[in-house]
Amino acid sequence: MEIEEFIEAIENEFEEVQNGSLTPDFSIRDMEGWSSMHALLIIALVDNHFEILLNGEDLRSVQTIQELYDLIQTKLKVG
Amino acid sequence: MAKFQTDGYKISAIYTCVPKNKLRTEDYEWISVEERKMFAKTTGIIERRVATEGVTCSDLCYKAADELLNEFDIRDKIDLVLFVSQSPDYFLPATSIVLQNRLGITKSAMAFDVNLGCSGYVYGLSIAANFLKNEGIRNVLLLAGDKSTISTSYKDKSTYPLFGDAGTATLIQKFDDVENNGNWYFNMYSDGSGADAIRIEEGHSRYPYKPEKKEVYELIDKGIERTKMHLALDGMKVFNFALKEVTPSIRELLDFSRKEVSDVDCFLLHQANLLINESIRKKLKLEASKFPISIDEFGNTSSASIPLTICSRMSEIDWSKPKTILMSGFGVGLSWANLLLKMTRPALKLLEHD
């Protein structure tokens, strides 16, 4: 999955986020009303699309969608 | 390895009792309206049933069991009373023994409690099955449930709106018709390294109850304030655990029983939160119709969630053929357990308590 598709999946996951409004350098915690529930939804989304299970620490270690995407790619390579 | 196959029993009846009192997620004023909406979307919980002061889990189980025993007329033939709960009436004696007397069950029945939560119903059935192997044991009454709401802090958004109360009674009997019931396959796991993921830390013997500590609230995070005698839940840890362990354990049990996912008519999962259950469903590539959900109406009801789902969602469906059912309980401990069995329609009833 390319980062464009990943961004689209995130936009589809959150009703309050407009399609086409997110960019790779968007900081995920700047999402409107960000809470631990958002974190769980992102972890579920990543697990569903990449079969990679992130923990809380993984998520805290990244800021932007690009960093999150890169982390997933690194984990996919490690297998 | 706790993986085994056994046969010769049936589940004859499942009765569930929930409190009449309803609380709705949209009315939880501790958090903002947006947060309430997000909570309802993620957990799936629209409303839940909460027992009023003075009503315990054993009262709910009593009502379910009393109706069941009236129907089946076997108070003098119950051989084992099992109470699976983490909200007993007393530190001691065991609530199962209190209920044996209150229900008018014969003194010749054995009775004991099992301290398990979300995995407890499957564990209870495994204990029932193993006792029923013995010649003298023919009828087991499994009582499972919790009044989780007694230990949650109103100021804790991670627990207070999540839990509902319920009590259940299940009658398991010796039954030799293998054609219609077949084998029961179990696999069960424990991982105490996650003991702090869901815990009430103080008030028992490790850190005994001290009245002054009841007032000491700690700010854990935004919207999360509780004492050490409240139920603490690390949502992220529990979520990671469920996503990591449950699906592989279900696949393992399917392999063990030489079944495919498509052979199973119905997956009855503990109702932990909708996001967890939906993630597991997608991993198993299952259609939603095989995955009944009751958390929307009742919240997370701990060991009562599986029997509550059967009583509230499966009493009207077509049972003309026996169903292959896979039950999966997972949570506090950490502890998880699955059971695959063939089931003919048991007597089902959903009751309410004032």
Side-chain angles (χ1 to χ4, degrees):
Chain A
M1 180 185 264
E2 300 298 319
I3 188 156
E4 290 76 20
E5 283 174 81
F6 183 50
I7 289 176
E8 219 178 291
I10 296 175
E11 288 169 344
N12 289 336
E13 184 64 46
F14 300 99
E15 283 164 28
E16 61 278 15
V17 177
Q18 297 256 317
N19 276 8
S21 68
L22 300 183
T23 54
D25 60 359
F26 180 81
S27 176
I28 48 175
R29 271 166 290 268
D30 286 344
M31 212 177 277
E32 203 185 313
W34 174 266
S35 69
S36 55
M37 288 291 167
H38 289 74
L40 296 188
L41 285 166
I42 287 194
I43 289 176
L45 184 147
V46 170
D47 181 48
N48 187 23
H49 284 91
F50 300 96
E51 292 185 27
I52 292 281
L53 188 55
L54 302 176
N55 58 34
E57 215 165 292
D58 291 330
L59 206 59
R60 275 191 296 276
S61 74
V62 298
Q63 292 294 328
T64 63
I65 295 179
Q66 182 72 54
E67 285 169 26
L68 176 60
Y69 184 77
D70 292 344
L71 176 70
I72 295 164
Q73 298 304 318
T74 312
K75 286 191 181 267
L76 279 172
K77 273 180 207 137
V78 176
Chain B
M1 178 175 249
K3 186 165 81 174
F4 52 92
Q5 167 261 315
T6 177
D7 60 51
Y9 333 104
K10 70 166 175 179
I11 295 176
S12 304
I14 305 173
Y15 283 31
T16 294
C17 180
V18 293
K20 262 196 186 127
N21 178 37
K22 283 183 196 172
L23 291 186
R24 298 178 65 84
T25 300
E26 63 179 28
D27 298 331
Y28 180 42
E29 291 178 353
W30 175 247
I31 55 175
S32 70
V33 174
E34 286 68 35
E35 276 184 288
R36 287 173 226 171
K37 279 190 189 143
M38 191 66 181
F39 182 88
K41 179 192 161 192
T42 313
T43 63
I45 300 167
I46 310 299
E47 61 183 31
R48 60 211 170 84
R49 303 300 183 96
V50 176
T52 48
E53 205 181 325
V55 175
T56 68
C57 171
S58 90
D59 294 331
L60 301 175
C61 288
Y62 170 80
K63 184 158 182 184
D66 192 47
E67 286 255 347
L68 188 158
L69 293 168
N70 280 342
E71 210 70 40
F72 282 75
D73 195 22
I74 47 165
R75 283 173 212 264
D76 57 340
K77 296 192 187 71
I78 297 291
D79 305 300
L80 165 60
V81 182
L82 200 59
F83 181 66
V84 180
S85 180
Q86 301 194 304
S87 44
D89 282 0
Y90 314 107
F91 274 4
L92 57 103
T95 305
S96 50
I97 305 171
V98 175
L99 283 168
Q100 167 272 323
N101 177 58
R102 194 174 166 199
L103 287 164
I105 289 170
T106 170
K107 276 197 279 187
S108 65
M110 58 191 291
F112 61 94
D113 289 8
V114 174
N115 182 355
L116 287 170
C118 317
S119 63
Y121 190 67
V122 178
Y123 267 85
L125 289 174
S126 82
I127 296 166
N130 277 289
F131 272 102
L132 283 164
K133 268 190 203 159
N134 300 286
E135 195 145 318
I137 311 284
R138 303 197 65 85
N139 301 297
V140 175
L141 185 65
L142 166 62
L143 308 166
D146 263 307
K147 184 183 183 180
S148 302
T149 60
I150 197 149
S151 54
T152 54
S153 160
Y154 176 76
K155 298 178 178 180
D156 184 346
K157 65 177 182 183
S158 67
T159 56
Y160 182 83
L162 188 65
F163 291 97
D165 303 325
T168 68
T170 301
L171 178 65
I172 307 112
Q173 296 182 294
K174 254 201 178 74
F175 188 65
D176 300 326
D177 183 355
V178 176
E179 181 72 14
N180 280 317
N181 280 269
N183 295 309
W184 289 19
Y185 297 90
F186 287 96
N187 66 346
M188 5 237 315
Y189 286 87
S190 321
D191 181 7
S193 75
D196 63 351
I198 311 171
R199 180 165 68 177
I200 300 172
E201 198 176 356
E202 298 195 357
H204 223 303
S205 56
R206 173 72 62 197
Y207 302 104
Y209 173 77
K210 291 197 183 91
E212 66 274 16
K213 293 186 89 173
K214 221 181 150 186
E215 306 304 324
V216 183
Y217 274 77
E218 292 172 276
L219 175 65
I220 309 295
D221 207 341
K222 188 177 161 281
I224 304 181
E225 294 176 34
R226 59 179 177 238
T227 75
K228 283 201 179 332
M229 271 178 279
H230 281 125
L231 177 72
L233 184 144
D234 184 334
M236 186 69 83
K237 243 187 206 172
V238 176
F239 189 69
N240 262 277
F241 150 69
L243 256 51
K244 185 170 169 216
E245 302 288 2
V246 178
T247 311
S249 76
I250 288 176
R251 289 197 189 285
E252 182 195 66
L253 188 66
L254 289 169
D255 283 348
F256 178 52
S257 57
R258 294 175 301 279
K259 292 257 187 309
E260 303 287 333
V261 172
S262 56
D263 295 328
V264 180
D265 298 310
C266 180
F267 287 79
L268 283 167
L269 264 72
H270 167 57
Q271 306 283 300
N273 94 38
L274 190 62
L275 185 60
I276 291 178
N277 290 31
E278 279 295 290
S279 299
I280 294 168
R281 183 175 74 77
K282 285 177 193 161
K283 279 175 197 279
L284 292 168
K285 301 188 172 52
L286 274 167
E287 58 268 48
S289 62
K290 284 190 170 185
F291 235 73
I293 293 291
S294 65
I295 194 167
D296 53 340
E297 214 183 326
F298 300 101
N300 178 337
T301 56
S302 185
S303 55
S305 65
I306 292 172
L308 171 60
T309 303
I310 300 176
C311 290
S312 63
R313 299 291 181 261
M314 295 178 71
S315 65
E316 306 293 327
I317 61 167
D318 177 16
W319 281 89
S320 53
K321 280 189 214 137
K323 287 190 182 304
T324 300
I325 288 177
L326 195 146
M327 301 181 186
S328 179
F330 48 88
V332 57
L334 299 166
S335 167
W336 61 110
N338 305 304
L339 162 61
L340 186 135
L341 77 170
K342 228 182 195 182
M343 237 167 114
T344 47
R345 189 188 190 283
L348 299 173
K349 208 173 248 188
L350 183 60
L351 304 158
E352 287 189 320
H353 193 291
D354 283 327

